[in-house]
């Protein structure tokens, strides 16, 4: 996740000529000059950083090419981070964690200017971690149990996920979320930068359906992209870790403990 | 390439790219599918031909993008729109209001995509056929009156196009009521009329990523800067003069 890092910069530097002049002035004026020079306050600004995906950029080949990741992460994701950092110095929301920032700037449906950048930074972080090399195939353990409970079977879930992705009009994301109120897994489609965090739900897996995510590799063949994601890229390890964390917030009932 | 013959259907105002088909005929037209046996004719949409080659707009827009954009994306909108229309007709015939309302989003998206792209192909022209030549006469004067200069208009459209989040279109529109030119944006494939019933599209620029990503990658501003070299102002002038006559 994006972290806030301190960056300190001094805003005054002793000019070499002045340094020379200092030695010729009296002690009193030298002292005054030194005070004057350091009177300008050093400003410490925290900013969000671009986190790296948890794998090398060519690790997802041939299902997502290195070139796509270079552009998607290196240019587009980085662009959102930079835009957000540019907005922060003048923003009243300076100092929030990313999730806080997203929820407050969403402003109940009337998003403030920082929302788009913040949400896209978070969405992309989440997306990189939703994928892994040699991913795909089936989940296991608690995640599989919950999927089978909420969708009937894994193949039902897979079909519904793919179908939802194909039905998206325009740019957006497809999510497997744990709904906090309904206490069940659900598939959600969002447009542009919308993120299920704003509804208090807990995302487990996401798929970027913006055209920039697949156009270089698949052109207009969206179905192949989504199917490759399901079969080869989706990281059930990440999903398991996220589910474990989610269960600390949502009571999913008694666990299925096998009888000895 | 020759444009296909134009037909109109009473409820659809876009004159081009529609042709009437007698539903009762079973001349092997797969688009209609089997099972439609009403005597009423259903006019379906058809993909319009481009009046120039795919590579003719280089280097502003690459041939690969034009081919994919026309043969895959626009064709998909046409196909899905026709499917939705068939389903809509069936739903209307059966009085299934839920189905009728449910189909509206698919019709708006795919129908809008067909409408918008049909206008877009006419907005583009190869350089050696007049693409990029600035507008003269009445449209030129109107632009100067409403925006100050052509450069100001281009800058405004580029700014709005670049700022558009997600997918959509940026339009030079004529407000028929006020006889004024405006710059509008629409999201996804919403046609311009969704922004105002009196708005007539003169120029539309597709800022969906599929329109430029292969060539310009994520640098949408470069695409917007370059597309003006192949914009057909003559077409825009014709539409403007017809609407303000």
């Amino acid at each position: 996740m994006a972290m806030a890092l301190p960056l300190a910069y001094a805003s005054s530097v002793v000019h070499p000529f002045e340094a020379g002049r200092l030695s010729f002035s009296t002690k009193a004026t030298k002292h005054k000059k030194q005070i004057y020079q350091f009177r300008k306050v050093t400003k410490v600004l925290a900013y969000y950083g671009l986190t790296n995906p948890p794998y090398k950029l060519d690790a997802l080949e041939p299902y997502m090419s290195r070139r796509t990741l270079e552009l998607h992460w290196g240019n587009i994701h980085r662009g959102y981070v930079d835009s957000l950092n540019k907005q922060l110095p003048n923003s009243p929301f300076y100092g929030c964690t990313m999730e806080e920032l997203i929820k407050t700037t969403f402003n109940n449906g009337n998003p403030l200017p920082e929302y788009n950048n913040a949400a896209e930074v978070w969405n992309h972080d989440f997306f990189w971690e939703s994928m892994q090399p040699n991913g795909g195939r089936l989940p296991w353990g608690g995640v599989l149990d919950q999927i089978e409970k909420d969708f009937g079977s894994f193949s039902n879930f897979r079909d519904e996920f793919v179908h939802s992705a194909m039905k998206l009009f325009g740019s957006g994301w497809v999510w497997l979320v744990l709904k906090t109120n309904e206490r069940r897994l659900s598939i959600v489609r969002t447009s542009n930068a919308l993120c299920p965090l704003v509804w208090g739900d807990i995302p487990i897996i996401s798929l970027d359906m913006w055209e920039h995510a697949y156009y270089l590799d698949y052109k207009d063949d969206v179905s192949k992209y989504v199917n490759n994601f399901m079969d080869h890229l989706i990281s059930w390890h990440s999903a398991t870790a996220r589910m474990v964390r989610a269960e600390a917030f949502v009571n999913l009932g008694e666990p299925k403990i096998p009888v000895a | 390439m020759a444009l296909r013959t134009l037909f109109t259907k009473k409820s659809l105002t876009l004159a081009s790219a529609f042709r009437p088909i007698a539903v009762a005929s079973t001349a092997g037209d797969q688009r209609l599918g089997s099972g439609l046996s009403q005597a009423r004719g259903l006019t379906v949409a058809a993909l319009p031909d481009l009046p120039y080659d795919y590579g003719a707009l280089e280097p502003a827009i690459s041939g690969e993008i034009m081919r994919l954009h026309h043969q895959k994306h626009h064709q998909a909108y046409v196909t899905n729109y026709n499917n939705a229309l068939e389903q809509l007709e069936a739903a209307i015939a059966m009085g299934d209001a839920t189905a009728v309302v449910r189909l509206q989003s698919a019709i708006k998206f795919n129908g809008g995509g067909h409408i918008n792209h049909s206008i877009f192909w006419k907005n583009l022209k190869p350089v050696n056929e007049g693409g990029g030549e600035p507008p003269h006469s009445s449209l030129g004067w109107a632009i100067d009156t409403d925006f100050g200069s052509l450069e100001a208009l281009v800058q405004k459209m580029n700014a709005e196009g670049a700022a558009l989040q997600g997918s959509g279109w940026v339009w030079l529109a004529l407000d028929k009521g006020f006889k004024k030119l405006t710059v509008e944006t629409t999201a996804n494939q919403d046609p311009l009329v969704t922004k105002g019933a009196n708005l007539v599209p003169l120029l539309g620029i597709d800022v969906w990523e599929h329109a430029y990503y292969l060539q310009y990658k994520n640098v949408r501003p470069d695409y917007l800067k370059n597309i003006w070299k192949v914009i057909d102002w003559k077409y825009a002038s014709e539409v403007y003069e017809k609407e303000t006559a």
Side-chain angles (χ1 to χ4, degrees):
Chain A
M1 298 294 134
M3 302 175 294
L5 301 170
L7 170 71
Y9 53 87
S11 47
S12 67
V13 171
V14 179
H15 197 280
F17 290 143
E18 283 178 339
R21 248 185 285 136
L22 274 172
S23 61
F24 293 124
S25 46
T26 63
K27 256 213 170 124
T29 45
K30 187 168 155 185
H31 189 56
K32 229 197 295 181
K33 262 210 170 101
Q34 278 174 336
I35 292 177
Y36 177 75
Q37 255 142 20
F38 286 112
R39 218 206 249 145
K40 293 183 208 163
V41 176
T42 55
K43 203 167 172 205
V44 180
L45 252 173
Y47 65 91
Y48 293 101
L50 177 69
T51 53
N52 296 344
Y55 35 76
K56 287 220 186 84
L57 293 185
D58 58 1
L60 300 179
E61 299 256 11
Y63 309 107
M64 194 175 276
S65 66
R66 184 175 62 92
R67 186 76 183 122
T68 297
L69 278 169
E70 274 173 11
L71 288 167
H72 198 176
W73 171 76
N75 287 4
I76 296 179
H77 189 184
R78 193 188 301 270
Y80 283 122
V81 173
D82 291 341
S83 306
L84 180 60
N85 286 333
K86 276 206 206 86
Q87 286 175 319
L88 279 180
N90 304 318
S91 164
F93 303 108
Y94 172 80
C96 294
T97 64
M98 194 56 96
E99 273 107 349
E100 276 173 24
L101 184 61
I102 292 175
K103 286 183 194 166
T104 21
T105 51
F106 180 64
N107 200 18
N108 275 320
N110 251 326
L112 303 168
E114 297 87 351
Y115 173 76
N116 197 63
N117 290 324
E120 282 292 83
V121 171
W122 192 92
N123 289 343
H124 281 93
D125 274 339
F126 191 84
F127 178 51
W128 305 134
E129 291 169 15
S130 296
M131 295 192 290
Q132 65 169 75
N134 289 322
R137 292 181 298 274
L138 289 166
W140 56 88
V143 176
L144 183 59
D145 287 342
Q146 193 67 36
I147 286 180
E148 287 179 343
K149 180 160 164 244
D150 293 327
F151 294 97
S153 71
F154 179 75
S155 61
N156 281 355
F157 154 72
R158 190 191 182 287
D159 289 342
E160 209 185 301
F161 195 92
V162 171
H163 184 66
S164 190
M166 301 301 293
K167 271 187 66 179
L168 180 69
F169 290 157
S171 308
W173 302 76
V174 188
W175 307 80
L176 172 64
V177 289
L178 181 65
K179 288 205 170 273
T180 36
N181 289 336
E182 297 164 41
R183 288 192 234 158
R184 49 161 293 148
L185 287 175
S186 183
I187 294 174
V188 167
R189 221 174 24 230
T190 61
S191 284
N192 293 354
L194 192 55
C195 172
L197 282 182
V198 302
W199 303 312
D201 291 333
I202 303 176
I204 305 292
I205 288 284
S206 79
L207 173 58
D208 190 350
M209 293 302 295
W210 283 63
E211 284 176 326
H212 62 237
Y214 60 84
Y215 212 77
L216 289 178
D217 298 332
Y218 298 94
K219 306 287 186 310
D220 67 301
D221 197 351
V222 186
S223 147
K224 195 151 164 247
Y225 166 63
V226 181
N227 279 299
N228 276 345
F229 174 80
M230 295 304 291
D231 295 334
H232 301 284
L233 287 177
I234 205 172
S235 172
W236 291 116
H237 287 279
S238 297
T240 308
R242 289 162 179 168
M243 271 296 276
V244 167
R245 184 176 174 273
E247 290 185 38
F249 297 89
V250 180
N251 184 354
L252 288 174
E254 292 296 315
K256 225 165 59 180
I257 301 175
V259 180
Chain B
M1 289 189 233
L3 285 167
R4 283 191 203 166
T5 351
L6 311 177
F7 288 94
T8 51
K9 188 183 191 291
K10 48 186 180 330
S11 59
L12 295 157
T13 53
L14 191 63
S16 66
F18 288 95
R19 53 189 177 92
I21 295 179
V23 176
S25 82
T26 52
D29 193 298
Q30 277 96 358
R31 260 194 297 260
L32 288 175
S34 57
L36 271 179
S37 54
Q38 291 98 330
R40 225 162 23 105
L42 176 67
T43 305
V44 291
L47 183 69
D49 287 333
L50 293 188
Y52 38 78
D53 287 330
Y54 288 131
L57 300 177
E58 303 239 7
I61 306 179
S62 73
E64 194 190 6
I65 288 184
M66 288 304 293
R67 189 181 52 82
L68 281 165
H69 206 171
H70 182 247
Q71 281 181 358
K72 294 288 165 80
H73 291 278
H74 191 175
Q75 179 65 69
Y77 291 128
V78 168
T79 311
N80 293 334
Y81 174 60
N82 290 338
N83 288 339
L85 273 188
E86 282 171 42
Q87 292 178 39
L88 181 68
E89 222 206 7
I92 293 175
M94 291 201 293
D96 186 351
T98 318
V100 169
V101 174
R102 187 177 33 88
L103 284 164
Q104 295 309 309
S105 65
I107 289 179
K108 183 181 180 194
F109 181 69
N110 293 299
H114 173 51
I115 293 171
N116 294 341
H117 285 88
S118 302
I119 298 174
F120 188 48
W121 308 137
K122 294 200 214 126
N123 284 151
L124 302 172
K125 206 60 164 194
V127 178
N128 57 14
E129 289 178 39
E133 262 179 40
H136 306 291
S137 66
S138 54
L139 180 58
W141 300 329
I143 289 176
D144 287 341
T145 314
D146 291 329
F147 298 101
S149 67
L150 181 61
E151 287 73 35
L153 168 64
V154 168
Q155 217 175 358
K156 179 151 200 240
M157 283 187 78
N158 289 351
E160 302 227 358
L164 195 147
Q165 283 164 13
S167 311
W169 291 73
V170 59
W171 303 93
L172 172 63
L174 167 65
D175 186 322
K176 271 194 298 195
F178 295 117
K179 293 279 192 285
K180 229 173 138 4
L181 295 173
T182 51
V183 171
E184 301 284 344
T185 56
T186 53
N188 297 340
Q189 292 295 354
D190 295 353
L192 183 59
V193 290
T194 56
K195 273 286 171 87
N198 274 335
L199 294 176
V200 175
L202 300 178
L203 284 182
I205 300 182
D206 190 352
V207 290
W208 279 63
E209 283 169 333
H210 65 235
Y212 61 88
Y213 202 74
L214 287 178
Q215 187 180 352
Y216 294 95
K217 308 298 186 288
N218 64 306
V219 194
R220 197 192 276 175
D222 279 356
Y223 159 69
L224 288 168
K225 209 163 42 139
N226 282 313
I227 198 175
W228 293 103
K229 300 183 189 150
V230 288
I231 288 285
D232 188 3
W233 282 107
K234 270 208 292 280
Y235 169 76
S237 293
E238 282 167 26
V239 177
Y240 180 78
E241 269 149 35
K242 194 160 63 115
E243 292 292 337
T244 53

